[in-house]
Amino acid sequence: MAEERRFRSASGAPIALRRRQHSASCRELAVRGPRLQLRSLSAATSAVWLAAYGLFALSENSMVLSAAIFITLIGLIIYLHFVKIDQESLLVIGSLGIQVTSSYASGKESTTFIEMGQVKDVVINEAIHMQKVIYYLCILLQDPDDPQGVSEVVPLFQSSKPRLDCLIEVYKSCQEILGQRKTAPQSS
Amino acid sequence: ENSPAPLPERAIYGFALFLGSWFGFILYLIWAYIPETWLFSLGLTYWPQKYWAVALPVYLLVAVGIGYILLFGINMMSTAPLNSTHTVTDNYAKKQQHKKFQEEAIPALRDIPISEVNRMFFLPEK
């Protein structure tokens, strides 16, 4: 059972939230950001090449042109592989844990798994970030010494930064599954 | 006993500072503008180099400009990052004591944990 809804990110870019229910205690929520636009890629490439041509006109050194082509190619590969995140997904399995996956534009995927014993709660927190106050979803990790304490905060959806309406949807979905573990503590 | 009202001592301090700052300003103008030879002929020879009459104000203005940027940067550096527990709790909240609930009394002020706040805001169906 899958459904997809459109939302906006904190900076105004269109994002899409896809919810899939695999079973009664397993849910997957994926936020997909906008793909790399052809016009921004062409704009960046043309800017770099114009600057290189200007330098070449000033310095009469043809190495500047080949260096610019090299820089553009390497820069694009580095950007796609390390910077541009296409999709961030959250897989909540009721008795097992939470898995957070980031998929980059080059196809690389980076995954983190947090087991359910360490998870205290999934909450929407608001904090100051770069001269703005933003809402963000985060996982609170349990402090082993203090049952009321929080040992660590793991922020989610860092690159797509959805707005509050999308976060509320994700929060409600997560709380439905996290609420089950209090009512059935004897199962595993 | 600490009131901001005007007192005779404060008036005297203010006037002394006023005279002192005027004296300092006139002295600075004399040092900066009157040629060295005239000052030497008067017998006043032990002055700093006139270079400093221009350098010190420039240093001061550049320091003020850098101060704006520095303050901005210090503020950005001391903002807690998104993954720090300081966005969720602090020492006072961790050490607070739970007061007993009394009937007919206003509940005591306390720091409500973020999980409870979230449930109150986002879960009820309207």
Side-chain angles (χ1 to χ4, degrees):
Chain A
M1 182 188 94
E3 57 174 74
E4 182 159 325
R5 282 183 59 181
R6 290 195 196 289
F7 290 99
R8 290 214 165 257
S9 81
S11 52
I15 57 174
L17 168 72
R18 199 183 60 197
R19 261 201 297 218
R20 291 181 64 180
Q21 173 131 357
H22 295 286
S23 86
S25 63
C26 175
R27 223 170 263 188
E28 183 178 1
L29 301 129
V31 171
R32 214 177 36 183
R35 294 265 189 279
L36 182 63
Q37 308 276 37
L38 184 62
R39 55 171 177 239
S40 51
L41 179 63
S42 332
T45 312
S46 323
V48 171
W49 286 359
L50 271 175
Y53 193 72
L55 269 179
F56 167 69
L58 278 173
S59 67
E60 303 292 324
N61 184 5
S62 65
M63 274 306 259
V64 175
L65 296 174
S66 29
I69 295 177
F70 205 58
I71 287 174
T72 313
L73 280 176
I74 299 289
L76 182 65
I77 291 178
I78 290 181
Y79 177 70
L80 291 179
H81 195 68
F82 293 108
V83 174
K84 177 100 186 67
I85 294 184
D86 263 347
Q87 173 173 299
E88 288 164 305
S89 80
L90 191 66
L91 177 67
V92 185
I93 307 178
S95 49
L96 200 59
I98 301 182
Q99 174 167 294
V100 182
T101 312
S102 301
S103 319
Y104 291 81
S106 64
K108 170 173 107 163
E109 283 196 6
S110 121
T111 312
T112 314
F113 179 76
I114 304 168
E115 59 171 337
M116 206 41 109
Q118 286 179 350
V119 170
K120 182 167 187 282
D121 203 0
V122 172
V123 299
I124 298 180
N125 194 11
E126 44 183 315
I128 302 175
H129 175 72
M130 303 286 271
Q131 291 84 46
K132 269 203 292 212
V133 176
I134 58 165
Y135 289 101
Y136 64 105
L137 196 73
C138 57
I139 304 178
L140 301 177
L141 297 188
Q142 185 91 34
D143 192 2
D145 308 318
D146 175 18
Q148 305 291 331
V150 174
S151 76
E152 225 181 292
V153 172
V154 178
L156 304 173
F157 302 127
Q158 288 283 76
S159 82
S160 46
K161 289 203 178 52
R163 286 188 181 170
L164 190 60
D165 44 6
C166 179
L167 289 179
I168 293 180
E169 296 293 330
V170 181
Y171 174 74
K172 284 186 190 159
S173 291
C174 289
Q175 284 297 322
E176 279 170 29
I177 300 198
L178 288 179
Q180 290 170 6
R181 48 174 191 166
K182 270 186 277 217
T183 57
Q186 56 267 30
S187 58
S188 131
Chain B
E1 275 293 10
N2 297 333
S3 93
L7 295 172
E9 291 88 29
R10 290 176 178 166
I12 294 172
Y13 297 152
F15 191 58
L17 268 176
F18 171 72
L19 285 182
S21 58
W22 262 115
F23 175 68
F25 184 53
I26 302 290
L27 194 64
Y28 171 76
L29 287 179
I30 290 174
W31 167 47
Y33 280 108
I34 301 200
E36 278 203 333
T37 45
W38 295 15
L39 292 173
F40 285 173
S41 70
L42 282 174
L44 307 161
T45 54
Y46 200 64
W47 296 94
Q49 277 188 327
K50 279 185 189 286
Y51 162 81
W52 293 107
V54 178
L56 283 176
V58 172
Y59 273 135
L60 206 64
L61 288 174
V62 170
V64 168
I66 290 182
Y68 274 115
I69 301 173
L70 196 72
L71 191 65
F72 191 68
I74 289 179
N75 274 332
M76 278 179 78
M77 275 172 61
S78 24
T79 308
L82 291 187
N83 64 347
S84 114
T85 53
H86 293 287
T87 55
V88 173
T89 185
D90 66 0
N91 275 332
Y92 298 106
K94 284 185 204 155
K95 294 205 180 90
Q96 65 180 343
Q97 277 124 6
H98 299 275
K99 301 200 174 56
K100 267 207 322 266
F101 174 70
Q102 287 169 332
E103 288 287 332
E104 305 281 333
I106 299 174
L109 193 67
R110 68 179 180 106
D111 185 57
I112 303 177
I114 186 169
S115 309
E116 228 176 287
V117 174
N118 266 251
R119 268 188 293 252
M120 207 161 47
F121 276 148
F122 303 125
L123 277 188
E125 306 293 311
K126 295 253 165 86

